[in-house]
């Protein structure tokens, strides 16, 4: 073979995913990514958390049920699997679930607070490496961190868990939710992540609980402060400007969902109910009763073609820039 005629092209993972999504040519398709909420239980009591009942574990899927769901997802070419919670490491059967996901070929992304990382889990991750582990950090100091988590000693456990993951050479990203309690430490968290060699991102969006309780939004910082934060670092400013340029001229599609909910991603709660995203829970699709191929595409198509309710949002020319989404608006205002 004459290798001078070969041309190898290097793509980033983002470009690769974009090329896969372009192949659907507007036809209904299964998402490339699924997030699986293994449990609603958590060992922390964060003041901004949108999960209402963290103790309801009796109805969560069993390992066999999860294996069935994962096999169904794999058959329909779901590529990325996000394991989340609650705190997914609370499940004593997490290692079995994780091994099943890796055996089926998923590129696994783990969301965790890192407080429950153990030597046995490090060995598991080293043997079957995840694509990445995203660790939530709520403050740079113990005082701030634990004022958010509500659990004394949690900061030390978090640091030990994070140190263990990094010492193992695993792919770790740090992320935080910016709120009134920790806003003064965002810069310190960003600098710390850079020192550790970790990618860092933040999200100022805090919404009502899934039951509609407004308690979490007491921690929401004012919009003007969000803008100041986005302009505070050159990389953040460039990212926001690029985003604004990309969406500025996009025509409104005059439908409730203009994002990739249900087509680029789907969310499965601890009880086996599938949703277009983590916050839209009003029209569940029961995977235990109906395998994906029996009706998921029709289910999502019906949801995605719902028109937006009449009002200022539907006609706003800057709707693409706003960032407000239907599920969050539903939780907050109905």
């Amino acid at each position: 073979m004459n290798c001078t005629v070969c041309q190898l092209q290097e793509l980033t993972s983002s470009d690769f995913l974009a090329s896969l999504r372009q192949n659907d040519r507007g036809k209904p398709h299964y998402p490339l990514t699924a997030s699986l909420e293994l449990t609603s239980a958590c060992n922390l009591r964060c003041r901004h958390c949108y999960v209402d009942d963290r103790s309801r574990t009796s109805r969560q899927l069993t390992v066999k049920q999860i294996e069935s769901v994962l096999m169904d997802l794999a058959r329909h070419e779901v590529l990325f699997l996000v394991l989340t919670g609650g705190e997914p490491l609370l499940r004593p059967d997490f290692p079995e679930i994780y091994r099943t996901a890796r055996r089926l070929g998923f590129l696994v992304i783990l969301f965790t607070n890192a407080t429950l990382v153990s030597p046995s889990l490090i060995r598991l991750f080293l043997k079957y490496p995840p694509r990445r582990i995203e660790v939530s950090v709520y403050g740079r100091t113990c005082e701030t961190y634990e004022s958010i988590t509500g659990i004394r000693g949690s900061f030390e456990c978090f640091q030990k868990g994070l140190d263990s993951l990094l010492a193992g050479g695993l792919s770790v990203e740090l992320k935080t939710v910016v709120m009134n309690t920790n806003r003064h430490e965002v810069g310190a968290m960003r600098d710390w992540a850079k020192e550790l060699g970790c990618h860092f991102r933040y999200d100022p969006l805090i919404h009502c609980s899934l039951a509609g309780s407004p308690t979490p939004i007491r921690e929401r910082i004012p919009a003007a402060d969000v803008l100041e934060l986005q302009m505070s670092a050159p990389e953040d400013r460039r990212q926001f400007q690029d985003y604004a340029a990309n969406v500025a001229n996009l025509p409104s599609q005059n439908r409730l969902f203009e994002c990739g909910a249900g087509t680029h991603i789907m969310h499965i709660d601890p009880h086996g109910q599938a949703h277009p995203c983590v916050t839209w829970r009003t029209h569940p699709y029961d995977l235990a009763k109906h395998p994906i191929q029996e009706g998921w595409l029709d289910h999502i198509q019906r949801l995605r073609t719902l028109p937006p309710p009449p009002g200022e949002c539907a006609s706003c020319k800057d709707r693409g820039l706003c960032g407000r989404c239907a599920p969050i608006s539903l939780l907050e205002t109905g």
Side-chain angles (χ1 to χ4, degrees):
M1 180 177 180
N2 185 357
C3 288
T4 60
V5 300
C6 298
Q7 182 177 1
L8 300 179
Q9 184 178 9
E10 184 175 297
L11 292 175
T12 65
S13 59
S14 297
D15 291 336
F16 173 67
L17 287 176
S19 69
L20 290 180
R21 291 180 178 127
Q22 288 171 357
N23 291 336
D24 65 83
R25 298 183 181 180
K27 297 179 181 179
H29 58 89
Y30 296 101
L32 285 173
T33 302
S35 60
L36 177 58
E37 189 178 344
L38 294 180
T39 180
S40 59
C42 187
N43 60 321
L44 304 181
R45 293 292 178 266
C46 295
R47 58 175 66 201
H48 65 288
C49 185
Y50 60 83
V51 180
D52 293 279
D53 187 357
R54 284 159 287 188
S55 62
R56 189 178 58 180
T57 58
S58 60
R59 291 180 53 217
Q60 66 188 21
L61 295 175
T62 65
V63 172
K64 287 188 176 180
Q65 289 173 322
I66 289 175
E67 182 175 4
S68 177
V69 168
L70 293 181
M71 291 176 65
D72 202 12
L73 295 176
R75 279 193 295 267
H76 290 84
E77 301 178 343
V78 173
L79 180 60
F80 295 95
L81 179 68
V82 179
L83 297 179
T84 184
E87 171 49 52
L89 300 186
L90 266 178
R91 286 192 63 141
D93 50 14
F94 173 83
E96 185 177 353
I97 295 168
Y98 180 83
R99 282 192 293 266
T100 297
R102 292 291 283 109
R103 176 175 56 81
L104 290 170
F106 291 105
L107 299 177
V108 177
I109 301 165
L110 173 64
F111 288 2
T112 178
N113 58 38
T115 60
L116 300 176
V117 172
S118 64
S120 62
L121 284 174
I122 295 295
R123 290 192 294 270
L124 174 68
F125 295 146
L126 290 176
K127 187 174 183 179
Y128 307 105
R131 176 174 170 81
R132 68 176 179 270
I133 299 173
E134 297 192 7
V135 177
S136 297
V137 50
Y138 301 116
R140 185 63 187 97
T141 64
C142 178
E143 179 183 8
T144 297
Y145 185 97
E146 293 186 0
S147 68
I148 291 172
T149 64
I151 302 296
R152 182 173 297 179
S154 57
F155 184 67
E156 182 180 358
C157 293
F158 152 73
Q159 285 198 304
K160 287 182 178 179
L162 177 60
D163 289 344
S164 296
L165 294 171
L166 294 174
L170 295 162
S171 177
V172 177
E173 293 188 3
L174 296 181
K175 60 185 181 182
T176 193
V177 177
V178 181
M179 59 192 95
N180 288 320
T181 302
N182 70 2
R183 57 193 293 181
H184 61 290
E185 293 186 359
V186 173
M189 286 187 276
R190 180 194 287 118
D191 293 343
W192 182 42
K194 188 174 182 179
E195 291 174 8
L196 296 175
C198 296
H199 176 73
F200 174 79
R201 76 175 191 273
Y202 62 85
D203 190 350
L205 180 58
I206 297 176
H207 55 77
C208 294
S209 74
L210 293 177
S213 169
T215 300
I217 64 177
R218 296 172 184 169
E219 283 289 331
R220 183 188 293 167
I221 67 175
D225 293 350
V226 175
L227 180 61
E228 182 181 353
L229 183 63
Q230 289 175 326
M231 297 296 109
S232 63
E235 60 270 25
D236 294 340
R237 185 163 58 250
R238 284 193 300 270
Q239 183 179 13
F240 182 75
Q241 290 170 338
D242 290 344
Y243 170 76
N246 289 333
V247 302
N249 297 315
L250 291 179
S252 174
Q253 301 179 55
N254 196 37
R255 64 187 187 194
L256 196 61
F257 290 92
E258 295 193 17
C259 61
T263 56
H264 291 174
I265 190 169
M266 66 186 298
H267 180 75
I268 303 164
D269 69 25
H271 320 301
Q273 304 289 316
H275 312 273
C277 68
V278 68
T279 47
W280 184 272
R281 306 290 181 103
T282 59
H283 298 81
Y285 182 87
D286 194 337
L287 291 177
K289 296 180 179 177
H290 307 287
I292 294 176
Q293 71 270 18
E294 287 188 4
W296 173 257
L297 291 181
D298 290 338
H299 177 77
I300 287 301
Q301 188 72 3
R302 286 193 296 270
L303 284 180
R304 289 186 59 83
T305 54
L306 288 173
E312 293 181 49
C313 287
S315 60
C316 179
K317 64 181 179 63
D318 293 323
R319 186 175 174 193
L321 270 175
C322 179
R324 293 294 288 179
C325 70
I328 292 175
S329 296
L330 180 66
L331 288 174
E332 187 160 333
T333 68

